[in-house]
Amino acid sequence: MKVDSINFLSNRENIQKISVEDFKKGIFTIETDTIPYRFLEPKETFLKKRYPLVIAFHNSSRIGNDNEKQLEHLTKTWLTPDIRATYPCYVLAPQFNERSSNYSKSEEGFLESRPSQQAKLVLSLIKELQKRYPNIDDTKIYLIGYSMGASTAQNLMAMAPKEFRALVSIAAVPDLSNLKAFKRKPILLIHGQMDLENPYEGSVTQFERLKGNKRLILKTYDYLNHATITIPFLSGDEIPKWLFKH
């Protein structure tokens, strides 16, 4: 664990130094609601080529409207030179000024998540970006997130499964409201057994209820908790490599 902690701090420090200038600022407004967002384009684009869109949701500590804090370390990994060169794509990082996913206890006693109204607005933002960037590949829109952001990613998949190709969920409180939405999707659930904030049992329950899905993976880290579960993903390309297989 000491080695992991050292690697974690080193990786965070290296990623912290990366300039976020290429993540352009935008504001999406629909009626009376506004969502600040950052948007990263591929390093270079070709007219006849289409590119995936990755939507990265932030955790609850990044709530606000400064259009800065949502670029957490996992999101910034898409700026590293190797990943940008190997996995060209668009990356959308919206910021919420309230919780994007709310938790409540199910009748069985475990936590479940439900989307906020702001989270639902992301569906409209995606449509707007598809109009503006016609070479977004609408068959390859990926959802990723950590903590509250992972729950939000699951919420959107549950609401509009036809819009999204695959999902990476790190330390989420699961959304079990529409299991059919997840039945055939490529889904990577990542959780630490030591997680007491968003309990590991939630991902286990979700995995068991989706056992018929042969594209579903539950990756367990028995020695990591809620704060340390991002350690393995701040270096290397495991997440983009898995996404781009689909």
Side-chain angles (χ1 to χ4, degrees):
M1 187 59 189
K2 289 182 179 179
V3 173
D4 285 332
S5 297
I6 292 171
N7 287 338
F8 179 54
L9 292 173
S10 175
N11 291 336
R12 279 180 64 95
E13 185 176 340
N14 290 335
I15 291 171
Q16 190 66 36
K17 295 176 183 176
I18 297 174
S19 170
V20 298
E21 184 178 310
D22 284 353
F23 258 109
K24 302 303 181 185
K25 290 185 177 182
I27 296 177
F28 177 69
T29 301
I30 182 168
E31 296 180 355
T32 59
D33 290 301
T34 298
I35 298 179
Y37 66 89
R38 302 293 282 263
F39 192 67
L40 179 69
E41 298 181 42
K43 198 73 174 176
E44 58 179 343
T45 57
F46 299 95
L47 186 62
K48 294 185 179 181
K49 187 172 181 179
R50 305 186 81 197
Y51 300 87
L53 170 62
V54 176
I55 305 170
F57 294 108
H58 64 80
N59 69 50
S60 61
S61 71
R62 307 300 182 115
I63 289 172
N65 56 13
D66 62 354
N67 215 357
E68 298 281 352
K69 289 194 298 184
Q70 77 267 38
L71 296 180
E72 52 192 17
H73 292 81
L74 279 170
T75 303
K76 289 174 70 175
T77 60
W78 293 93
L79 287 164
T80 59
D82 287 348
I83 288 179
R84 283 199 86 180
T86 308
Y87 307 99
C89 63
Y90 295 95
V91 183
L92 168 65
Q95 185 182 32
F96 302 104
N97 61 25
E98 60 182 30
R99 287 194 60 87
S100 55
S101 188
N102 296 298
Y103 307 156
S104 59
K105 275 195 175 183
S106 68
E107 292 181 359
E108 293 96 329
F110 57 83
L111 289 177
E112 290 187 85
S113 64
R114 294 291 183 270
S116 70
Q117 186 58 37
Q118 275 204 331
K120 296 175 184 178
L121 293 178
V122 174
L123 295 171
S124 299
L125 172 55
I126 294 169
K127 296 297 184 187
E128 174 66 26
L129 292 172
Q130 286 174 310
K131 292 177 185 177
R132 199 181 311 168
Y133 299 91
N135 57 346
I136 289 176
D137 188 340
D138 57 11
T139 69
K140 295 178 182 177
I141 301 180
Y142 304 129
L143 298 166
I144 64 174
Y146 157 62
S147 189
M148 181 188 76
S151 301
T152 306
Q154 290 200 24
N155 297 153
L156 263 70
M157 180 67 84
M159 283 191 294
K162 292 182 180 180
E163 302 296 324
F164 306 111
R165 182 74 184 94
L167 165 70
V168 176
S169 169
I170 304 175
V173 168
D175 186 331
L176 305 176
S177 65
N178 182 15
L179 291 176
K180 286 183 179 179
F182 297 84
K183 284 290 186 182
R184 297 178 182 175
K185 297 289 184 178
I187 298 171
L188 177 57
L189 302 176
I190 299 167
H191 222 126
Q193 276 190 320
M194 305 297 289
D195 193 335
L196 300 179
E197 188 170 335
N198 289 354
Y200 169 69
E201 290 73 17
S203 287
V204 173
T205 298
Q206 186 172 28
F207 181 76
E208 290 174 347
R209 295 192 181 185
L210 293 170
K211 271 188 175 176
N213 183 353
K214 295 180 180 179
R215 295 175 168 183
L216 172 67
I217 297 170
L218 172 58
K219 190 162 189 176
T220 298
Y221 289 85
D222 57 5
Y223 57 92
L224 296 182
N225 59 31
H226 196 75
T228 57
I229 189 59
T230 58
I231 288 172
F233 308 104
L234 295 183
S235 61
D237 65 348
E238 183 174 349
I239 287 176
K241 185 176 182 180
W242 184 86
L243 283 173
F244 275 58
K245 285 194 304 185
H246 306 289

